[in-house]
Amino acid sequence: MTIYRISERRTPLFTDRSSALPLAAVWAFTRAGMLVLLWRDSLGIGGIGREVYLLYRHWYQQLSQGTFPPDDVTWQYPPGAGLVFLAPGHVPELTYYQAFVALTLLADAVVTFALARAGTSGAWLWVAGLPLLLHLPLARYDVQVTALAVLGLLALRGGHARLGGALAGLGAMVKVWPLLTLLGTPRGHLTRRAWTAALLAAGVLFTVLALGFSHTLDFARQQGSRGVQIESVGGSALSLAKLFGWWPGEVRYRYGAFELAGPYASSVAHFALVLTALAFCWLLLWRVRSWDWSVATPVDAALTAVLLFTVTSRVISPQYMVWLLGLGAVCLTCRDTSQRTVALLLLPAAALSALAYPVLYDQVVAVTPAGVAVVALRNGLLVAAALLSCRRLWTATVPGPPSLKGL
């Protein structure tokens, strides 16, 4: 018999100030440190601040004229992202850059508050994990996207299927992946409500944007042309081969990122797409075979799904770790989560991501032993986390011999 316990009793918000005050203090201290790093970035160590200063503001200027960036190879985001880039330009008394960072911090604070309501363990993972990426999260829009996904999952956990679905649908219109958070919704009316709300919210937003802007679908053409980014799992394989003299390819800057080009590079890119398809098939098989569900199952499945699609992607930008930290934090709000170890593995993976970019990025691009080793170790951790996540999710929900339970 399937267990559909989607809501659980929550303790009153911040009844114990001894746990709330340290969390707030650490959040303030670490975010101040991130701001200092960003202020000293001087238009971008490794290009971190430069992306907001130049690229995001350039997109804002085009969007203000009623058009998505036409024929721009760097524009690879769904049309909902345009609202994120438009918002800072409407904040009074601040420059575009200052407003973007302020709105990112606001989204970060909302995520922290929402997680703290659900359980301090998850909030601590988010508060302590995000600074491991240094100041990168403040100069990308992934915190805003993660906020939609986290709030949607917490709404689903509280039994609000329509609200959770709507937030996931809006998130998918901003950066696609939040739709994966609905793969773990229970069978029956809850799934129908969540997916209907997601499709309705996404459809309404897309219609509004299509009516108000031109070139709404240009992003799809640019996204499909991407190759193997140097920081992806496939990129690590090619980099290792190049380091040992087994592969004669080179690193090129294309589509706003450093990619590996040469013999077999296109085959690696196609193989990554095949692996993504196989990951999706595994998730469908899990849904068919799983029956022993708990309150943690939908959020655990969300982390597993996003991890699988991350490690099989042709692109693993360092800001992808923001998504995983957010989903891992939601998992830790559930006492019976199967993903506790997986969530903790994300912390060293985030630290290694910051070491790869921006600290050692010159060496990563130059394919030096240190640069290749750091990225390969980070990717190895992510692959291990993905495999462990699949195993834990399967053994926690799919009926089997008692000896397999709890592995």
Side-chain angles (χ1 to χ4, degrees):
M1 180 179 179
T2 309
I3 302 174
Y4 289 158
R5 293 182 288 110
I6 302 305
S7 61
E8 67 179 6
R9 186 181 299 274
R10 294 179 183 175
T11 57
L13 176 60
F14 297 154
T15 53
D16 183 5
R17 291 189 178 184
S18 64
S19 62
L21 291 178
L23 184 68
V26 172
W27 184 92
F29 178 77
T30 54
R31 274 48 179 183
M34 293 166 71
L35 284 171
V36 170
L37 288 174
L38 195 62
W39 174 67
R40 299 188 63 180
D41 192 278
S42 186
L43 287 183
I45 299 171
I48 289 183
R50 192 183 304 274
E51 190 142 328
V52 180
Y53 270 116
L54 301 179
L55 188 59
Y56 289 5
R57 188 167 59 178
H58 170 66
W59 288 341
Y60 161 75
Q61 292 168 348
Q62 291 184 308
L63 290 164
S64 298
Q65 298 172 5
T67 179
F68 285 94
D71 301 318
D72 185 345
V73 296
T74 61
W75 178 257
Q76 301 156 5
Y77 310 110
L83 299 179
V84 179
F85 299 126
L86 278 170
H90 295 86
V91 177
E93 307 299 330
L94 296 177
T95 66
Y96 183 87
Y97 184 83
Q98 292 169 341
F100 183 90
V101 174
L103 291 175
T104 304
L105 280 173
L106 177 61
D108 174 21
V110 169
V111 172
T112 303
F113 182 81
L115 289 170
R117 283 197 65 201
T120 54
S121 295
W124 275 112
L125 179 72
W126 173 260
V127 169
L130 205 63
L132 295 176
L133 296 169
L134 303 180
H135 50 303
L136 177 74
L138 299 183
R140 298 294 185 271
Y141 81 104
D142 296 86
V143 173
Q144 290 89 321
V145 183
T146 303
L148 290 171
V150 168
L151 294 176
L153 279 173
L154 291 175
L156 286 172
R157 176 190 159 184
H160 306 291
R162 291 190 178 93
L163 176 58
L167 289 170
L170 294 175
M173 283 296 295
V174 178
K175 213 165 187 178
V176 180
W177 70 265
L179 199 61
L180 296 174
T181 61
L182 297 182
L183 290 177
T185 52
R187 303 178 187 90
H189 69 281
L190 289 174
T191 286
R192 289 192 296 271
R193 289 176 183 173
W195 280 94
T196 299
L199 295 176
L200 182 61
V204 169
L205 180 56
F206 177 80
T207 301
V208 171
L209 293 172
L211 292 175
F213 297 84
S214 59
H215 299 281
T216 310
L217 293 175
D218 277 16
F219 77 97
R221 183 173 67 253
Q222 311 301 345
Q223 185 66 244
S225 302
R226 300 189 77 167
V228 181
Q229 186 176 324
I230 196 168
E231 295 165 277
S232 66
V233 174
S236 287
L238 290 176
S239 294
L240 283 168
K242 181 175 176 61
L243 184 64
F244 288 104
W246 301 333
W247 184 66
E250 60 182 1
V251 178
R252 295 179 184 172
Y253 188 78
R254 299 173 64 243
Y255 298 98
F258 286 98
E259 297 182 352
L260 291 154
Y264 309 111
S266 61
S267 298
V268 172
H270 291 139
F271 184 61
L273 294 175
V274 171
L275 289 177
T276 298
L278 291 175
F280 184 71
C281 291
W282 184 90
L283 288 166
L284 292 180
L285 176 64
W286 166 77
R287 278 193 65 91
V288 172
R289 295 288 304 277
S290 59
W291 291 102
D292 299 331
W293 286 33
S294 72
V295 66
T297 301
V299 297
D300 288 353
L303 177 59
T304 302
V306 176
L307 259 173
L308 284 174
F309 280 82
T310 296
V311 299
T312 60
S313 173
R314 296 169 293 172
V315 181
I316 304 182
S317 298
Q319 57 265 30
Y320 287 19
M321 294 304 306
V322 176
W323 319 345
L324 298 174
L325 288 170
L327 296 178
V330 178
C331 290
L332 293 188
T333 65
C334 302
R335 291 190 181 92
D336 55 350
T337 180
S338 64
Q339 304 295 307
R340 191 172 304 278
T341 303
V342 177
L344 294 177
L345 280 175
L346 298 176
L347 295 175
L352 287 168
S353 292
L355 190 59
Y357 182 84
V359 178
L360 297 178
Y361 200 56
D362 288 344
Q363 297 190 48
V364 172
V365 174
V367 195
T368 67
V372 172
V374 168
V375 176
L377 184 56
R378 190 281 306 270
N379 288 343
L381 272 176
L382 288 180
V383 170
L387 295 175
L388 180 61
S389 181
C390 291
R391 182 181 183 183
R392 289 288 180 87
L393 181 67
W394 186 277
T395 57
T397 57
V398 177
S403 59
L404 294 180
K405 291 296 181 179
L407 292 180

